[in-house]
Amino acid sequence: ITCLLASSSDSVHFIGTESPAGATLVNLPGFYEMFSVLVFSAMFHNAIPVLSEPVAEKKYLAGIFRNALIVCGMAFWTLGYVVAWFFGDAVEQSCNLNWDAYVGGTGFPSSNGSSTWTNVAVWARAVSYFVVLFPAVNIVSAYPLNAIVLGNNLMIKMHGQQAVT
């Protein structure tokens, strides 16, 4: 949303990026780079038994997982395209780091010649911190699920017994 708002505004929203860089809809030579990210983002197969357990009607599991992959795939594609369209070749390895320079059209460059900005609105700083820190917080929140899956797998492998639910 911030990229789309920045593209329709005359004020600076991202320090160093004044307007969208543009991107092609499909870049087949770059498919090999995207494919590994796609596989990694959809790699939850080790958690399927744990995620399937609470579902009462097991016959719906295929549809649930198919729809989840479709929704996630569309969300990742949309996010990836908008970020590539706005930042172009300046996209950081982890695209959330581009929001470190987010000022939301507020503030102005520092008078001492540095690349810092002054009088940036609190809400713009909050958006910047949220987007930059979200992946780390998200990983921490996924730890319990991964720990349960690992613990259950180890219990079965080492002790030959059913996992504790």
Side-chain angles (χ1 to χ4, degrees), residues 17-100:
T17 307
E18 282 73 34
S19 63
T24 58
L25 189 59
V26 176
N27 180 8
L28 289 180
F31 179 77
Y32 73 95
E33 293 179 54
M34 185 271 312
F35 187 70
S36 61
V37 174
L38 174 70
V39 170
F40 181 75
S41 69
M43 195 171 69
F44 64 93
H45 64 279
N46 63 332
I48 288 178
V50 173
L51 295 171
S52 302
E53 188 176 340
V55 177
E57 297 287 334
K58 303 293 189 215
K59 64 183 177 182
Y60 297 122
L61 284 174
I64 290 170
F65 286 116
R66 180 189 61 243
N67 292 339
L69 284 171
I70 289 170
V71 168
C72 288
M74 289 178 6
F76 278 130
W77 182 88
T78 302
L79 179 65
Y81 183 77
V82 170
V83 168
W85 168 75
F86 190 82
F87 293 106
D89 291 335
V91 175
E92 297 282 346
Q93 183 70 24
S94 181
C95 71
N96 65 306
L97 297 178
N98 286 88
W99 271 258
D100 186 44

Side-chain angles (χ1 to χ4, degrees), residues 47 134-150:
F134 182 79
V137 174
N138 187 38
I139 293 298
V140 169
S141 69
Y143 174 78
L145 178 62
N146 291 328
I148 290 169
V149 170
L150 176 63

